[in-house]
Amino acid sequence: MRQLFFLHKLLRLKRHVYLDHNATTYVSRRVRQTMQRVLSTSYGNPSSLYNIGRKSAEIIETSRQYVADAIGANASEVFFTGCATESNNAVLQSLARQFYPRKKKIISTPVEHSSVLNTLEFLKKQGITIQYCPVDRYGRVLPDELKKLIDDDTFLFCCMLANNEIGTIQDIETISMIAKQNSVLVLSDCVQALGKIPVNVHAMGVDYASFSAHKLHGPKGVGAIYVKEGSPFTPLIHGGHQENGMRAGTESIHNIAGFGEACKGVAKLLAHSEQIARKKQYLIDHLKKIEPQCRIISPDTGSLPNTLSCRFPGMENAALTAALDHNGIAVSTGSACTTHDYKPSRTLVAIGLSEKATRETIRISLDKTTSYKDIRYTLHVIQRFLKNSDSTIKIVPPTRIDEKFLYSNQTCVVDVRPQFLRKKTKGFPNSHVVSFFSIQHYLHQFPKDRDILLFCQHGNLSYAAAWYLKSKGFHKISSLQGGIIGWKIRHHELYKKLLENNMPRVTNETRGNI
């Protein structure tokens, strides 16, 4: 019996559970086969007039029809791009150029994807007026507030169909009707909706919509724009005549074929929606049992069947996600596109959560492949973590890190930030640089006889790195609470003294050793 217990524990620890399908999905077998076939046999340039080129062009047009069928559009209204971020940029920048300075105003919502929000901030610097329509506590647009914001200077309203963080589904038909009554165009980011709920762009009444293949078991690196026939649009990328002059550049045929194949499977994906919703409800019910204080952020109705945003008061989401990852479970703290910023989620702030509450919230997104065993295992790990039955990572407050600590030979201080963040903010003197994403290559250089303090920009990556090192047999591990930014706030003068002219020690990633 004792041997069986330890065998069961070992197998349990090795279980891998992927619960971040809103970030990306695995590429389906049918899609892989289609892409492999195209890569092997259809290498011709689709712009060429000879036979193998014409075959490539035919693949693109067939795939275009599959995408159009999946979203309720005409094939002539669908154009392929490199990703949904490009699609959103193309529409926003195209219309800004076309209407400015005759009209200068875009209205959006504060719960949009970063590819919309950050592009709007860019356009604001170009002279475009940006206003955000208030939303309710679930992130739904308030129609009466929208009506108040629209004026003669408004040319576009941006509103995603389904929110990627909390799953809220917008009433796009009503929103489009309000916009049309005022001669305002509508862009809808439909990335998270396709494959989870029915999408029909004609019925929605939108002028533009963006899509991405990798959210519905297709490949990364390909997206699409829907441009309603007759709607204004000029290309973002200039060059050749590809995509009917709407998007220059030789097409990625195998990716487009994969996108088309994924869209052929949309009806099958939708058929699993009710089953996935039942699993989500099972997860909600049991989360409340193991932690009565758990707050469900996602709405009960009018939400994506697979998406659950939940808050654990008093528990840092970075610590929880790192502990789950240590046990083979992948969840997120919000949109994957903003993970490294570790700023408060704009969606969660917009629906009324405090900054502290946003840092206690995680997102779980299911799929048809998610089993009840996966859910029960996840619940078990969460419960064990909340009750502290697992040994946790030591968290060092910024107040403990002074000049004496930084130059002590007793502690090895390691900066696990990616390079682009190290360029934004200098790291500690006397520290070593080992990027989180390459840490596995340098395990042999970490000292097992010394205390190791890991730090990052805001404290999230160092949590995850600490759990990873723990899993590899390192026990003297700690993580800096709040990261270098938190430390800088509390030690402003010391930061100026030590770090303003500081260059990190030669790192293991170049020629030095830890």
Side-chain angles (χ1 to χ4, degrees), residues 416 433-446 465 468-469 472 474 507-510 512-514:
V416 298
V433 176
V434 185
S435 170
F436 174 80
F437 302 103
S438 60
I439 196 169
Q440 69 273 18
H441 300 303
Y442 303 98
L443 292 176
H444 63 284
Q445 295 188 17
F446 283 90
Y468 176 74
L469 289 180
K472 297 300 180 181
F474 294 88
T507 74
N508 65 300
E509 293 180 318
T510 53
N513 294 313
I514 293 181

Side-chain angles (χ1 to χ4, degrees), residues 395-412:
I395 306 302
V396 178
T399 51
R400 283 195 51 199
I401 310 300
D402 55 17
E403 190 169 358
K404 180 180 179 181
F405 181 97
L406 291 174
Y407 287 100
S408 169
N409 291 325
Q410 303 302 312
T411 304
C412 175

Side-chain angles (χ1 to χ4, degrees), residues 44-48 52-62 253:
N45 190 316
S47 296
S48 301
I52 58 174
R54 292 196 303 273
K55 286 183 177 179
S56 295
E58 184 179 351
I59 290 170
I60 292 174
E61 294 314 309
T62 300
I253 308 165

Side-chain angles (χ1 to χ4, degrees), residues 22 35 39 77 96 101 108 162 171-172 183 196 199 225 231 283 354 359 372 401 407 420 429 456 458 487:
N22 281 11
M35 293 177 67
L39 282 169
E77 298 172 311
S108 186
D171 183 0
I172 292 292
S183 301
K196 300 183 180 79
V199 176
I225 315 175
S231 297
L283 176 59
S354 67
R359 300 196 191 285
Y372 282 101
I401 310 300
Y407 287 100
F420 79 96
C456 60
H458 294 277
W487 185 86

